[in-house]
Amino acid sequence: MHRLIVIQSQWGIQFELALSTLLLTITSSEINDKVQNGHRHHDRTTPETAIELGGAVMIRAILIDDEPLAIQVLERKLEETGAYDIVATFHSELEWKAEVYELQYDVAFVDIRLVGSNGLDVVREMQATNKESLYVFVTAYEEYAVNAFEMNVLDYIMKPVSMSRLQKTTERIHHAQELRVIKATEKDVRGLNINLFQEFTVYYENELVHWKTSKVKELFAYLLTDRNQYVERDMMIEALWPGEDYQKSKRHLHTCMYHLRKKLKSIGFDHAITFLDKRYLLQIETSTDVDKWKEALDHLHKQPDSVEQFDRLLAVYKGKYLERDDYEWAKERMQAYHFHMISVMMKMKKYFIDREQLEQASQCLFVLMKDDPYSEDLVQEMMDILKRMGRRADAVSLYEGFSARLQNDLQLKPSARLRAFFKRI
């Protein structure tokens, strides 16, 4: 989907510029190089739920104009086409700048002359923060056409804007929409591998994804925890920048969000993040190791004797949730997941022992001992299973290692009960 900004000035009644014909020669690849998402000032739809008319997605429009009447006229004409959703209007460059990191738009219609501003400079700044969006100049001055074309804008429309001319621009925007969808479907998102257990890592096509800053990485991890659900902006600020100045933290969030969107787009997830009513939504068609863990748990609940799902469960649970990243906001979830895993391992241990599936029982005990390395009960159970499996040497080695750990870490010796059990093996 493509979004629209409209910027006009107070000048304006002239003639159509022939340069629009020249601009129509821009190649499809050039058009396709300009699409991104951002913040909506008056959100009514999201890219994922946008209204479709005649097979085309509604073009999201933002209007910026220092002349209120000019905004009203262009807004009316855009709405008359039936192709646009006007989501925001601004009366100055400063108003637009205040929302720069949260704007979501497809195309910018920009007048050359704004009071106190130059439209060319405004578009350059827009392109710097939103390189993939499309831009159209709406102006009464033809002398800037060459400069505009060099900036790789989508179109150049002369005032007064006729409906027939506006329709040509709309068709070009729809064409750019189609190209973006084709390009997006060509991406192999199956090459994305996200791990949250033990340490947060993201791989794309077997290459580790690097982040602009550690906070950008943390922001992605935070959004992943509530993927496909709207998360309040202020909750995110409090979680990622606890106790810091609100306005400063808000700016940090906007900057990190910009870099995150840019990174996600580079690995095939354009428009993955939506902003609506002070809430962010992350939508990514992929599964993390947490998703695979939950699936394995569900299968084991229905079919506890499934060795395949049991092995899968152990394979994906490499450690506590985001343990090495030490995110304060993740600790409650980390403990909840780990408690659930330990509970499952306790139940599965008993299930396997009762059925003499000693190899699987020992795997459960290994997980439990890793969680509680000083538990004599667990060590005794493991020694007993190893003996029953004919692995007495391993049982002896386990006892000796446990004794050394107690002495080195706690300056303690095994209890009389465990020593007596050891003598019997």
Side-chain angles (χ1 to χ4, degrees):
M1 184 186 62
H2 297 269
R3 306 178 178 88
L4 166 75
I5 290 182
V6 181
I7 305 182
Q8 289 185 309
S9 81
Q10 59 187 342
W11 295 279
I13 300 176
Q14 293 289 344
F15 49 87
E16 186 94 37
L17 179 66
L19 180 67
S20 60
T21 303
L22 176 62
L23 287 173
L24 289 173
T25 64
I26 297 177
T27 65
S28 297
S29 61
E30 288 172 327
I31 294 173
N32 197 37
D33 284 337
K34 312 181 188 73
V35 183
Q36 187 183 349
N37 58 0
H39 171 61
R40 300 184 298 275
H41 197 168
H42 300 109
D43 255 307
R44 293 194 288 273
T45 62
T46 67
E48 296 73 18
T49 59
I51 304 169
E52 293 190 5
L53 295 177
V57 179
M58 291 286 283
I59 302 169
R60 295 174 56 78
I62 299 175
L63 285 67
I64 306 177
D65 193 332
D66 54 12
E67 181 62 40
L69 180 59
I71 285 183
Q72 294 175 16
V73 171
L74 186 56
E75 182 174 0
R76 175 178 54 79
K77 289 187 176 182
L78 292 171
E79 290 179 339
E80 284 178 2
T81 67
Y84 296 90
D85 179 21
I86 311 299
V87 297
T89 60
F90 300 100
H91 293 92
S92 70
E93 180 184 0
L94 291 177
E95 288 185 5
W96 166 75
K97 284 185 175 181
E99 305 291 339
V100 62
Y101 289 110
E102 291 186 355
L103 286 175
Q104 288 190 339
Y105 56 90
D106 294 316
V107 184
F109 280 69
V110 185
D111 189 54
I112 299 297
R113 295 187 181 180
L114 295 165
V115 173
S117 304
N118 182 299
L120 297 173
D121 293 335
V122 171
V123 169
R124 289 190 185 96
E125 187 169 356
M126 287 180 169
Q127 290 174 330
T129 57
N130 196 341
K131 296 179 180 180
E132 286 70 35
S133 288
L134 306 174
Y135 297 90
V136 175
F137 282 111
V138 182
T139 182
Y141 302 89
E142 64 176 351
E143 61 265 31
Y144 301 103
V146 175
N147 290 335
F149 179 68
E150 291 176 347
M151 295 172 61
N152 204 22
V153 298
L154 177 70
D155 211 344
Y156 194 108
I157 304 176
M158 295 298 297
K159 296 180 181 179
V161 180
S162 66
M163 288 300 298
S164 61
R165 183 64 183 84
L166 193 57
Q167 188 59 43
K168 291 180 181 178
T169 300
T170 303
E171 290 172 0
R172 298 193 68 208
I173 295 171
H174 282 154
H175 179 58
Q177 286 181 325
E178 295 169 0
L179 292 175
R180 185 191 65 80
V181 171
I182 292 172
K183 184 176 180 180
T185 57
E186 291 175 349
K187 287 284 188 178
D188 183 12
V189 299
R190 292 172 298 178
L192 191 66
N193 184 15
I194 300 176
N195 301 304
L196 293 159
F197 284 127
Q198 191 175 65
E199 182 178 8
F200 181 43
T201 57
V202 180
Y203 290 87
Y204 180 65
E205 296 182 347
N206 298 320
E207 294 290 335
L208 181 65
V209 174
H210 298 282
W211 306 94
K212 182 71 174 180
T213 66
S214 61
K215 275 299 178 183
V216 175
K217 176 184 176 182
E218 184 179 359
L219 175 61
F220 187 37
Y222 187 90
L223 289 171
L224 278 170
T225 61
D226 293 302
R227 193 161 84 255
N228 299 320
Q229 299 180 43
Y230 279 99
V231 182
E232 292 186 9
R233 179 183 61 192
D234 288 356
M235 289 182 61
M236 296 171 61
I237 291 175
E238 181 59 30
L240 273 65
W241 293 275
E244 294 190 17
D245 176 74
Y246 175 77
Q247 292 301 325
K248 182 179 179 181
S249 299
K250 185 178 177 182
R251 289 193 296 270
H252 288 328
L253 174 62
H254 294 167
T255 302
C256 290
M257 193 67 70
Y258 165 73
H259 289 297
L260 176 57
R261 281 177 168 137
K262 184 177 180 181
K263 175 59 70 175
L264 291 178
K265 182 182 184 300
S266 72
I267 59 176
F269 292 95
D270 195 8
H271 304 285
I273 301 175
T274 303
F275 185 81
L276 174 65
D277 192 25
K278 299 181 181 180
R279 291 175 173 83
Y280 286 96
L281 171 69
L282 174 67
Q283 292 181 303
I284 288 185
E285 295 179 4
T286 190
S287 61
T288 68
D289 57 348
V290 174
D291 298 320
K292 297 170 184 176
W293 176 71
K294 290 179 178 179
E295 290 173 5
L297 285 173
D298 185 57
H299 283 297
L300 281 174
H301 179 72
K302 299 174 182 176
Q303 192 178 2
D305 59 345
S306 174
V307 176
E308 177 184 353
Q309 293 301 327
F310 176 73
D311 291 342
R312 185 185 182 196
L313 183 71
L314 295 180
V316 297
Y317 194 84
K318 299 180 178 65
K320 294 181 180 179
Y321 182 79
L322 296 173
E323 182 177 14
R324 292 183 180 175
D325 299 281
D326 197 31
Y327 298 144
E328 189 64 33
W329 53 265
K331 290 184 177 179
E332 183 176 348
R333 191 180 298 260
M334 176 181 70
Q335 295 301 328
Y337 285 166
H338 191 65
F339 178 80
H340 190 56
M341 181 66 174
I342 295 303
S343 298
V344 170
M345 288 296 100
M346 292 290 289
K347 293 177 182 177
M348 294 301 296
K349 172 178 69 71
K350 183 178 185 305
Y351 176 88
F352 289 133
I353 290 176
D354 290 345
R355 288 161 179 77
E356 290 295 316
Q357 294 177 257
L358 302 183
E359 181 63 38
Q360 286 75 29
S362 68
Q363 290 177 293
C364 292
L365 278 166
F366 178 79
V367 174
L368 295 170
M369 290 170 60
K370 186 177 179 181
D371 178 64
D372 188 0
Y374 303 111
S375 171
E376 289 194 346
D377 292 338
L378 294 176
V379 169
Q380 183 171 322
E381 273 194 281
M382 180 65 95
M383 290 169 61
D384 182 57
I385 287 177
L386 290 173
K387 178 184 176 182
R388 290 162 63 182
M389 293 171 67
R391 297 166 56 184
R392 182 180 181 281
D394 289 335
V396 172
S397 178
L398 173 64
Y399 175 81
E400 291 175 346
F402 179 71
S403 298
R405 184 183 306 115
L406 281 181
Q407 181 61 44
N408 294 334
D409 296 349
L410 306 176
Q411 289 75 52
L412 295 176
K413 294 182 179 181
S415 66
R417 174 177 60 84
L418 186 60
R419 293 199 302 270
F421 181 82
F422 172 68
K423 291 180 180 180
R424 291 196 297 271
I425 67 170

